[in-house]
Amino acid sequence: MVIRHYELGKTHSSNPETLPKQPIFYPNERADISVINSQTVFRSKNFRDVIARRLAGAVQIPTVTYDEMGLVRVDPRWDVFYDFSKYLRESFPNVYEKLEFATLNEHALLYTWKGSDSTLKPLLFMAHSDVVPAPESTLDRWTYPPFSGHYDGEYIWGRGSEDDKSNLIAILTAIDCLLNANFKPRRTVIVAVGFDEEGGAPGGYGARSLAAHLLDVYGEDGMEIILDEGIASIEEHFGTEFALPATAEKGYLDVCVTVDTQGGHSSTPPDHTSIGYLANIIQEIEKNPFQSRLTSKNPTTVYLKKAALYAKEMSPALRKAILDPSAVNEVIKYLNSSHETRTLIRTSTAVDVVRGGEKVNALPETAYILVNHRIAVEESVQIVKDHYLRLISPLAKKWNFAIRGFEGEETGNAGLGTLTLTAHSELEPSPTTNPDDERFGWLAGAIRGVFGEDVIVAPVLLTGNTDTKFYWRLSSQIYRMSPWRASLDTRGTMMHTVDERMPVQGLLEMVKFYHEFIRVVDEKRRSVD
């Protein structure tokens, strides 16, 4: 979330005493747990080093998934996940002894901490054990080898240290601490760990199987709250600390545009080769972006209003525009001025792959592009497909090409060639979690109880996708966040790239949050079912 780029000027916010107060929750029961863990265990250097070593050991097991992976139990690249499961069992013996544990599809892990009150819906935590590769071409740029799990007293270095083994280790550590304090939940707590979130299996071997199992056991809307990974969620915007749980995520679609033409010798070329036609198509795509919109369906709207009300520093013009419903076009203009923030209010378009040509003296018969889209919450897969047909049909007519649409239908005359449109990896935008629901208040109150009453909690939109895409039917309250202060990494997050690392202080914050959130939610009851 990069709204902070819009700090065009500074002024003090409205009088905070006139604003509605956000909730702040601390566990009311078992005060001894707070004394022992929060005031003693969590503050000890020994505990800090223990959790750092746990994460370091997890990083040292290279649970890499690739875009093209074979079946589990067939492709040997999955076998390293057996080592990872063994490592978790050895690192958390008390968790494995006290909680129900199951594996699905060999490497998906499911932990169930049974509560004493079966009428209460479970609290579900999600994580994933797989990581993206560390390309050999980048190895000399790493401060420490990518799977070294090096711990220097401040950071744990290596692939997966942040995304997402930090969340997994923090969740299991928090549960372990509660078990050691003899905490017995009334509300069941579930931890579901996928193993192909990073794209190793297009069909979904891990989270898909976990979600199907949980749906079978608990039914639709069977979870009270689902919490999955997200951005490092405590950030400073406009001179104010914000906690940023994502309450929706954009959809996804890859579009392939293929140009087929006659070949021939390059000594007698036509006006355009298939690559030349493709260049014109790329130009047309980039000249016609999707419309930017800011509606109530987009969590960005709520975030901006919270920022305008509570932020200590903000451009007067931006604050005024945000709080004036008739000035929405001005707010859109602000957001459109950066390629980073405009992705929050429109379907994004990125031409990422171009292929064509085999030899320099042969006209290429076929060339294609792959275009990636992250679909705005107000739009759909079909809207993106329709957009392409509107853009490309006039070109096909102009060039005397046939056009083959997404459903295989063909129109026009293939006098000089054919344009073919295909779609891949279709995913609609997620449902949007209602921030007015009292359960959002539970989350906000627990966040402020851990990170301080000066922290403002505001929902945001996640522009990427998580494993929650398989869990939509299990709860209307789905949040995506990694609960630690991004400012603890002074050089900025390095997720998915060279020198990925996790500050041990951030890891400790995550443990504290999960520890307290479990207790807060355990004491809460919904006023209306």
Side-chain angles (χ1 to χ4, degrees):
M1 188 71 182
V2 285
I3 296 291
R4 56 187 178 276
H5 290 300
Y6 290 91
E7 298 176 30
L8 306 179
K10 296 182 178 180
T11 183
H12 287 291
S13 136
S14 306
N15 182 353
E17 294 183 1
T18 67
L19 297 173
K21 298 292 185 182
Q22 289 197 307
I24 183 166
F25 293 137
Y26 304 97
N28 292 317
E29 301 174 7
R30 291 292 308 274
D32 60 303
I33 294 178
S34 298
V35 172
I36 294 171
N37 286 339
S38 298
Q39 298 183 25
T40 304
V41 174
F42 294 163
R43 295 185 180 184
S44 71
K45 182 181 184 303
N46 179 64
F47 182 76
R48 176 187 174 99
D49 289 344
V50 165
I51 61 173
R53 287 195 296 269
R54 282 176 177 169
L55 179 56
V59 170
Q60 289 165 4
I61 302 171
T63 49
V64 176
T65 53
Y66 301 88
D67 284 343
E68 299 299 331
M69 296 279 281
L71 294 173
V72 176
R73 295 184 294 274
V74 174
D75 190 328
R77 291 177 294 180
W78 292 115
D79 290 350
V80 68
F81 288 87
Y82 292 117
D83 297 332
F84 189 76
S85 295
K86 180 182 177 183
Y87 174 77
L88 292 179
R89 184 178 290 274
E90 292 172 347
S91 300
F92 298 97
N94 204 25
V95 171
Y96 279 79
E97 179 183 346
K98 301 291 178 57
L99 273 63
E100 295 179 7
F101 173 73
T103 59
L104 286 77
N105 208 7
E106 293 297 307
H107 305 303
L109 312 178
L110 186 65
Y111 305 83
T112 303
W113 194 4
K114 281 286 190 182
S116 59
D117 188 344
S118 62
T119 67
L120 299 176
K121 292 182 180 180
L123 168 63
L124 172 60
F125 294 109
M126 295 173 59
H128 64 88
S129 58
D130 60 312
V131 303
V132 298
E136 288 190 17
S137 60
T138 69
L139 295 183
D140 62 345
R141 294 161 51 194
W142 285 76
T143 302
Y144 304 99
F147 295 103
S148 65
H150 180 80
Y151 174 48
D152 61 7
E154 184 178 6
Y155 294 100
I156 302 95
W157 298 76
R159 177 64 79 231
S161 56
E162 182 182 354
D163 183 13
D164 180 41
K165 291 179 178 179
S166 57
N167 270 302
L168 174 55
I169 294 299
I171 292 167
L172 294 180
T173 297
I175 291 173
D176 191 45
C177 290
L178 290 170
L179 288 170
N180 289 336
N182 200 32
F183 175 76
K184 299 184 186 302
R186 286 187 289 257
R187 185 188 300 278
T188 293
V189 178
I190 298 172
V191 183
V193 185
F195 63 93
D196 57 351
E197 193 273 347
E198 299 294 1
Y205 295 145
R208 183 189 291 274
S209 61
L210 288 163
H213 172 78
L214 292 171
L215 194 63
D216 185 56
V217 174
Y218 296 96
E220 292 204 19
D221 198 32
M223 300 293 127
E224 194 73 272
I225 294 173
I226 298 176
L227 193 62
D228 194 15
E229 63 168 332
I231 60 172
S233 295
I234 315 299
E235 295 188 348
E236 184 171 313
H237 297 182
F238 307 114
T240 304
E241 273 199 317
F242 280 84
L244 305 168
T247 54
E249 58 186 54
K250 299 177 81 174
Y252 186 103
L253 182 68
D254 291 327
V255 171
C256 181
V257 184
T258 302
V259 179
D260 289 298
T261 60
Q262 291 183 347
H265 200 283
S266 60
S267 63
T268 56
D271 290 341
H272 296 297
T273 67
S274 60
I275 296 173
Y277 286 116
L278 206 54
N280 280 273
I281 291 171
I282 292 172
Q283 185 179 42
E284 194 70 13
I285 290 170
E286 294 189 340
K287 279 170 48 182
N288 292 276
F290 287 83
Q291 179 185 357
S292 294
R293 291 190 285 169
L294 186 58
T295 71
S296 59
K297 193 173 184 179
N298 189 335
T300 305
T301 300
V302 180
Y303 163 77
L304 289 170
K305 288 180 179 177
K306 296 283 187 186
L309 289 171
Y310 292 99
K312 298 172 184 175
E313 303 168 354
M314 182 183 277
S315 148
L318 180 55
R319 192 189 302 277
K320 181 180 178 181
I322 291 170
L323 296 176
D324 180 0
S326 67
V328 64
N329 288 336
E330 294 180 42
V331 180
I332 290 173
K333 183 178 178 181
Y334 280 121
L335 298 176
N336 274 341
S337 64
S338 163
H339 72 274
E340 294 173 311
T341 51
R342 75 186 180 204
T343 63
L344 299 171
I345 56 171
R346 70 163 64 162
T347 294
S348 62
T349 303
V351 181
D352 290 326
V353 176
V354 181
R355 295 282 188 271
E358 298 293 335
K359 201 171 186 301
V360 74
N361 64 345
L363 300 177
E365 282 112 347
T366 298
Y368 70 87
I369 57 172
L370 288 173
V371 192
N372 176 251
H373 304 85
R374 306 304 172 106
I375 305 172
V377 292
E378 297 86 359
E379 296 176 348
S380 66
V381 168
Q382 189 60 50
I383 286 174
V384 176
K385 291 180 178 179
D386 292 344
H387 176 79
Y388 271 80
L389 286 169
R390 283 195 301 271
L391 285 184
I392 292 177
S393 293
L395 294 178
K397 184 176 181 180
K398 174 183 174 181
W399 296 333
N400 196 23
F401 274 33
I403 183 167
R404 187 174 296 122
F406 291 100
E407 307 307 321
E409 72 282 5
E410 187 167 324
T411 58
N413 178 19
L416 293 179
T418 301
L419 301 178
T420 302
L421 299 170
T422 55
H424 308 274
S425 303
E426 300 181 19
L427 177 68
E428 299 291 351
S430 76
T432 300
T433 295
N434 179 10
D436 293 327
D437 189 283
E438 63 184 304
R439 289 166 288 181
F440 182 84
W442 300 354
L443 176 65
I447 290 171
R448 298 180 77 234
V450 171
F451 291 96
E453 61 183 20
D454 290 336
V455 172
I456 304 302
V457 183
V460 294
L461 174 67
L462 198 64
T463 54
N465 298 114
T466 71
D467 271 341
T468 55
K469 61 181 175 284
F470 298 112
Y471 287 72
W472 294 347
R473 293 169 61 193
L474 277 162
S475 180
S476 64
Q477 295 293 302
I478 300 178
Y479 304 102
R480 308 150 185 90
M481 62 178 290
S482 294
W484 62 282
R485 285 183 168 88
S487 60
L488 291 172
D489 191 344
T490 56
R491 290 188 288 180
T493 180
M494 303 298 285
M495 185 187 299
H496 280 214
T497 189
V498 170
D499 273 354
E500 182 177 350
R501 60 191 173 271
M502 183 70 201
V504 67
Q505 187 61 33
L507 184 63
L508 182 58
E509 287 186 341
M510 295 169 78
V511 173
K512 289 179 180 177
F513 171 76
Y514 291 126
H515 180 276
E516 296 299 272
F517 187 57
I518 289 170
R519 296 174 65 202
V520 166
V521 175
D522 197 67
E523 295 176 14
K524 295 295 181 183
R525 305 292 181 271
R526 291 175 62 189
S527 56
V528 178
D529 279 327

